[in-house]
Amino acid sequence: MKKVKTIGWLLVCCSLLLAPGLGGAQEKFPTKPIELVVPFAAGGSTDVLARLVAKFAPKYFDKPLVVINKPGGGGVTGTEGVVRSAPNGHILYVGYGSGHDLVMPHFQKLPYKTFEDLSSVCLLSVHSVVIIIRADAPYKTMKEMIEWGKKKEQVTASVSTKAGSVDITFQAVGKTTGLKMVTVPFRGGAESVTAIVGGQTDCGGNHPSEVISHIKAKRLIPIAVALEQRDPAIPDVPTFKELGYNVVTAGSVKGVAAPKGTPPEAIRYLAERFKKVCEDQEFIQAMKDIGQPVMYKGPVDFAKYLQDGYEQYGKLIKEFNVKLE
Amino acid sequence: MSDLLGMFQGLMNGFGIAFTLNNLMFALLGAFLGTIVGILPGLGPAATISLLLPLSFKIGSPVTSIIMMAGIFYGAMYGGSTTSILVNIPGEAASVVTCIDGYQMALKGRAGPALGISAIGSFIAGTLGVIGLTFVAPPLAEFALKFGPPEYFSLTILGLLMASLLGGTSILKGLIMIVLGLLLGSVGLDPISGAIRFTWGFFMLQEGVDFVTLAMGLFGIGEILYNLEKELKTELVTKKISHLWPTLKDWAESKWAIVRGSFIGFFIGILPGGGAVISSLVSYAVEKKISKHPEEFGKGAIQGVAGPESANNSAASASFIPLLTLGIPGNAAIAMIFAALLIQGVQPGPFLITERPDVFWGVVASMYIGNAMLLILNLPLVGMWVQLLRVPYAILAPIIVLFCCIGVYSVRNTVFDIWIMGIFGVFGYLLRKLDFEPGPMILAFVLGPILERSLRQALLISAGSPWIFFKRPISGTMMGFLLLFILFQIVMTLRKKWSKGSS
């Protein structure tokens, strides 16, 4: 029976960690710990972002921020959970602007409306798509790779998932440069990095946070960024535009959202406090170190930014005729 | 030589760090928590580490918190065999194989020796794995990088072949189970094209059925439903419990299985992805092949427990190699440790050993200590677990169901998975009624997606040419083995038939 008792205590502890406190009714927001729901597995870039924010939050928030992972359905499951939760500002979605928000709705109907059912709180960071090659590849720049590739039957690129921001970027690279790009989807960013580090494909595309250590180790060379401007995480890498190719995407957007109907004063409070976190010098440095540059935008600007990103992906998908089959 | 000297010096400094009172305490805490979550079905090390992550920032230095998390991870590998042996529920994919002979041993009243040999085997394998991690980590990590899609395909085919040998009495039934497992593994998004398959409109199924859900249903709930049919006995194990500890004979029978398992686990375990699972399968198959009494396998052969349990433990040590030397996390729990390091401002990867030698060597050294702690912690528990089998089944069964539910819920925090577990529970019951072995099915379920993905990735890379599987040296070698093995089996079968026909 000893075992049962030990386990019982463990469970009590676990449930205490999991359960949000029981708050009083008419107090000032926030009345209890705020849940940051990450709709992806623990350990991914969104998860690390949320956990870093939670780590710095106690300085600026009146209640602690608790990270909860609800992976599944490419992010849809966890996001739907937030959409359906009580709109009081205590349950937030971190990662607003990810692939299932900006890209997936172009391919399939989601169980909620990405923009109508969620209120934007603020933008935290934007992850660009950076094209990487192995340091010992026979080409060292985008231009050299294109010349090399034109003599080949095909150029292979490792991507984290089919029809994600990286895949669409490569479709655009293929169309604008005339290369026969073949994207090889892996299971997530970490596996696609492993593939390019191991030289399984000719090039790869990732978010800087996933490859920054390999770039520092000089195993991988970044050759182009698919953003409008250069990415502050890797400021030396030119954009496609600078190189003369019209490949621009919104990257992967990482912001915070609350369920529709959350009181405006709660949104205001949250946006304000997140802004303070984003202005914390230590936080900025910590984010820079992991390759996720801080980029804050308030509720209104962020909403517009998302809408623009969504439309841009829609345009690219149509233009390059990307399909799931 | 200077390299080796540097390693010793590093390791010694590491021991200096690991042997501070604070770090020793957290290593013990990690090992203890790991043992508990390993035993609790479903509640895995990844979920535990994620729960403790916010706390770990308060502990202070990154070394201390990573020492604790590593302890949870390899501690869970020790505990993982316990439920497999006692109640036939594998806590993770790498313990599925342990169920086969481990549970049979328990039914024969030999739960004590089975648990004891797992703990000893785990200790030896874990320590050998850490020795490997200490001395050959960088070159082996480079080797692991050579494993691309074609190599994974060949390795997985090899693994599936091993799984088909687990089938028990009927090869046909084993093959049916494998096909079912492969089909089940194809539920969810198509890994290459992204198309939605067999989800019946449930978003929860887009990433497929979770392993824990399937294992708890098929093994845990299925077994309980099956036992409900029998007349209610006061004890699950009616036969008397003969020995609490492995005898000298047990030890003599399993010592080489432990050593072989350790090496197999170490080399295959380095590979991110299915490494640990395949290593446990390969170890089981090797033991069965070279045993003088292969007919005992499946009926409680101690080597069938010792080998795979050692393999999955040294695989756990080996899985730190890609993380610490390349910055590549190989499984969910290691990914959590990866995230924890990042949040603490430590970048795992090629520079870790030079930039943060305290973290690298401190953690490695703590793993030697942690393994010893786990042995001391686990051996006395054997007696307690064996007593657990005396708990009346009417009490034990509902507790198992409860823990299965909690475990399944904890994976994705959703009730949906509990329903899925229920469905597979009924299915598991039917399999037992019809005398099908669920092991090959669940292994095929784990390996199927790896197989499909690597096959299609390889063909994309080769522009459709299947020669890629034979042209590349590692893949080609494995394919050669595979063909030889199949040929050998065919010849053996034909010879048997022929000699039967002539006599």
Side-chain angles (χ1 to χ4, degrees):
Chain A
M1 289 326 277
K2 206 169 165 191
K3 181 210 178 192
V4 178
K5 215 171 178 179
T6 325
I7 293 167
W9 276 111
L10 189 80
L11 288 175
V12 170
C13 296
C14 292
S15 55
L16 281 179
L17 278 171
L18 279 169
L22 302 164
Q26 290 299 319
E27 290 167 56
K28 217 167 164 255
F29 178 84
T31 53
K32 55 188 179 186
I34 297 165
E35 285 182 23
L36 301 181
V37 177
V38 173
F40 305 106
S45 60
T46 312
D47 178 59
V48 173
L49 166 69
R51 289 183 193 275
L52 257 186
V53 171
K55 186 185 173 192
F56 283 87
K59 260 200 251 177
Y60 306 103
F61 282 78
D62 298 305
K63 293 279 175 187
L65 269 53
V66 185
V67 178
I68 294 180
N69 299 91
K70 286 202 174 181
V76 172
T77 312
T79 309
E80 188 186 4
V82 175
V83 166
R84 310 253 179 269
S85 65
N88 53 25
H90 291 101
I91 296 179
L92 304 174
Y93 155 36
V94 178
Y96 195 27
S98 302
H100 65 285
D101 298 319
L102 301 187
V103 184
M104 207 194 271
H106 295 291
F107 297 108
Q108 56 173 306
K109 201 174 170 312
L110 305 187
Y112 54 86
K113 293 196 180 78
T114 303
F115 301 107
E116 284 90 337
D117 292 346
L118 286 164
S119 307
S120 54
V121 174
C122 65
L123 174 64
L124 297 172
S125 180
V126 172
H127 303 175
S128 67
V129 173
V130 56
I131 310 298
I132 43 174
I133 54 171
R134 253 176 81 100
D136 59 4
Y139 34 85
K140 302 284 173 236
T141 63
M142 194 72 215
K143 207 172 147 239
E144 284 174 25
M145 186 173 95
I146 290 165
E147 276 165 26
W148 176 86
K150 288 216 163 129
K151 290 178 220 140
K152 297 270 165 183
E153 191 182 352
Q154 61 175 19
V155 176
T156 54
S158 54
V159 302
S160 56
T161 170
K162 180 71 185 175
S165 56
V166 182
D167 186 38
I168 289 167
T169 305
F170 274 114
Q171 308 283 351
V173 171
K175 276 277 155 70
T176 43
T177 61
L179 284 181
K180 184 169 187 317
M181 291 287 337
V182 172
T183 52
V184 185
F186 284 81
R187 198 180 46 173
E191 279 189 16
S192 86
V193 174
T194 311
I196 181 66
V197 172
Q200 309 298 340
T201 49
D202 299 322
C203 63
N206 279 95
H207 300 308
S209 61
E210 296 162 333
V211 287
I212 198 149
S213 67
H214 300 285
I215 293 174
K216 282 186 196 153
K218 298 200 167 55
R219 277 171 182 276
L220 298 178
I221 308 177
I223 52 175
V225 168
L227 271 189
E228 193 72 51
Q229 297 102 19
R230 288 191 179 201
D231 185 334
I234 34 172
D236 301 332
V237 185
T239 63
F240 273 101
K241 270 201 160 164
E242 288 175 53
L243 296 170
Y245 304 102
N246 187 25
V247 179
V248 180
T249 68
S252 195
V253 180
K254 301 290 171 191
V256 183
K260 182 186 64 179
T262 304
E265 57 278 12
I267 301 250
R268 209 174 310 125
Y269 172 94
L270 291 166
E272 212 173 83
R273 303 300 162 105
F274 277 121
K275 187 170 184 219
K276 284 191 177 150
V277 173
C278 287
E279 286 166 355
D280 185 303
Q281 283 308 319
E282 265 182 73
F283 178 72
I284 292 172
Q285 188 57 45
M287 288 282 282
K288 205 179 156 203
D289 288 343
I290 59 168
Q292 300 196 23
V294 175
M295 186 168 162
Y296 179 86
K297 280 185 193 297
V300 182
D301 292 344
F302 178 39
K304 187 177 175 317
Y305 189 86
L306 276 176
Q307 200 63 46
D308 290 349
Y310 174 77
E311 276 156 24
Q312 191 188 22
Y313 275 117
K315 225 178 80 198
L316 288 171
I317 288 162
K318 232 179 173 169
E319 203 177 325
F320 304 123
N321 196 20
V322 183
K323 270 191 216 127
L324 302 181
E325 59 228 328
Chain B
M1 268 325 276
S2 69
D3 239 26
L4 206 60
L5 213 66
M7 280 177 192
F8 268 113
Q9 201 162 18
L11 190 61
M12 284 307 125
N13 290 340
F15 273 115
I17 294 163
F19 262 117
T20 58
L21 186 65
N22 198 28
N23 288 344
L24 276 178
M25 254 173 48
F26 278 101
L28 183 66
L29 182 67
F32 177 69
L33 283 175
T35 305
I36 292 178
V37 300
I39 288 160
L40 289 175
L43 194 62
T48 314
I49 296 172
S50 121
L51 275 175
L52 289 174
L53 210 52
L55 240 77
S56 76
F57 307 139
K58 305 220 161 59
I59 293 173
S61 83
V63 191
T64 311
S65 57
I66 305 302
I67 283 177
M68 181 182 76
M69 289 179 195
I72 294 174
F73 175 60
Y74 56 74
M77 296 297 146
Y78 272 73
S81 56
T82 310
T83 48
S84 302
I85 292 168
L86 292 178
V87 284
N88 200 19
I89 302 176
E92 27 132 31
S95 318
V96 172
V97 182
T98 313
C99 287
I100 301 170
D101 281 281
Y103 187 57
Q104 288 303 323
M105 283 182 74
L107 288 181
K108 288 184 177 157
R110 280 170 42 82
L115 289 168
I117 211 76
S118 316
I120 295 166
S122 295
F123 168 70
I124 295 171
T127 306
L128 285 176
V130 184
I131 293 173
L133 171 61
T134 312
F135 294 105
V136 288
L140 270 178
E142 291 297 327
F143 171 75
L145 276 181
K146 295 222 163 46
F147 260 73
E151 286 76 18
Y152 271 103
F153 176 75
S154 310
L155 181 69
T156 316
I157 286 273
L158 211 64
L160 270 183
L161 192 74
M162 306 290 170
S164 72
L165 297 176
L166 301 178
T169 45
S170 156
I171 291 185
L172 183 66
K173 281 185 172 174
L175 287 177
I176 292 174
M177 285 291 95
I178 286 189
V179 171
L180 268 181
L182 290 176
L183 269 177
L184 202 61
S186 69
V187 172
L189 292 182
D190 178 314
I192 303 297
S193 80
I196 303 162
R197 303 189 299 205
F198 312 126
T199 62
W200 310 75
F202 292 109
F203 264 89
M204 280 312 294
L205 287 178
Q206 282 211 354
E207 279 171 16
V209 179
D210 189 80
F211 167 80
V212 172
T213 313
L214 183 64
M216 299 297 132
L218 221 49
F219 285 84
I221 307 293
E223 180 80 21
I224 286 170
L225 288 177
Y226 183 66
N227 285 335
L228 281 184
E229 252 184 17
K230 300 180 190 164
E231 200 182 327
L232 201 62
K233 294 167 193 142
T234 46
E235 287 169 17
L236 179 64
V237 181
T238 42
K239 283 184 191 131
K240 69 172 174 46
I241 294 159
S242 49
H243 299 278
L244 192 53
W245 305 104
T247 57
L248 274 177
K249 184 172 160 277
D250 290 335
W251 168 247
E253 277 176 356
S254 38
K255 62 182 179 203
W256 290 113
I258 290 173
V259 173
R260 281 187 294 266
S262 304
F263 277 89
I264 292 168
F266 184 72
F267 286 100
I268 303 180
I270 294 166
L271 305 171
V277 191
I278 297 177
S279 74
S280 70
L281 267 171
V282 171
S283 163
Y284 189 85
V286 166
E287 293 312 321
K288 192 174 173 179
K289 272 282 149 209
I290 63 175
S291 167
K292 286 190 193 100
H293 305 284
E295 72 281 356
E296 277 175 19
F297 279 74
K299 293 182 194 124
I302 197 161
Q303 300 96 315
V305 177
E309 264 312 302
S310 306
N312 72 31
N313 264 72
S314 79
S317 305
S319 64
F320 276 89
I321 291 178
L323 173 78
L324 295 176
T325 60
L326 298 170
I328 289 167
N331 58 47
I334 292 282
M336 284 309 310
I337 296 177
F338 180 70
L341 282 165
L342 282 181
I343 296 165
Q344 300 256 21
V346 179
Q347 179 80 54
F351 290 133
L352 184 69
I353 198 163
T354 46
E355 273 177 7
R356 292 300 297 265
D358 59 323
V359 173
F360 183 91
W361 291 113
V363 171
V364 171
S366 84
M367 287 167 76
Y368 286 96
I369 303 166
N371 268 300
M373 283 175 173
L374 278 165
L375 185 68
I376 299 167
L377 209 63
N378 273 275
L379 281 181
L381 284 177
V382 170
M384 206 178 95
W385 297 135
V386 174
Q387 292 307 314
L388 193 75
L389 289 178
R390 293 192 198 278
V391 174
Y393 200 60
I395 295 173
L396 191 63
I399 294 177
I400 295 174
V401 174
L402 178 70
F403 280 114
C404 285
C405 290
I406 295 169
V408 164
Y409 181 82
S410 75
V411 176
R412 300 199 288 194
N413 298 327
T414 153
V415 182
F416 180 82
D417 284 344
I418 296 181
W419 288 107
I420 299 281
M421 173 182 77
I423 294 170
F424 282 118
V426 174
F427 187 64
Y429 162 75
L430 292 176
L431 288 184
R432 275 171 187 74
K433 286 291 281 183
L434 300 171
D435 198 25
F436 280 91
E437 172 70 50
M441 172 172 163
I442 199 154
L443 289 164
F445 164 80
V446 173
L447 298 178
I450 306 175
L451 187 78
E452 184 194 1
R453 205 180 319 120
S454 56
L455 171 69
R456 291 170 67 184
Q457 284 166 344
L459 290 176
L460 277 172
I461 289 170
S462 73
S465 159
W467 281 112
I468 188 167
F469 300 113
F470 299 94
K471 265 195 325 211
R472 305 196 4 163
I474 300 172
S475 171
T477 312
M478 279 190 289
M479 279 295 184
F481 268 127
L482 201 80
L483 292 177
L484 274 177
F485 185 82
I486 294 173
L487 216 67
F488 176 74
Q489 289 289 7
I490 293 175
V491 172
M492 289 299 278
T493 320
L494 284 181
R495 252 179 56 183
K496 239 191 227 159
K497 257 200 181 143
W498 190 64
S499 64
K500 238 188 215 165
S502 66
S503 67

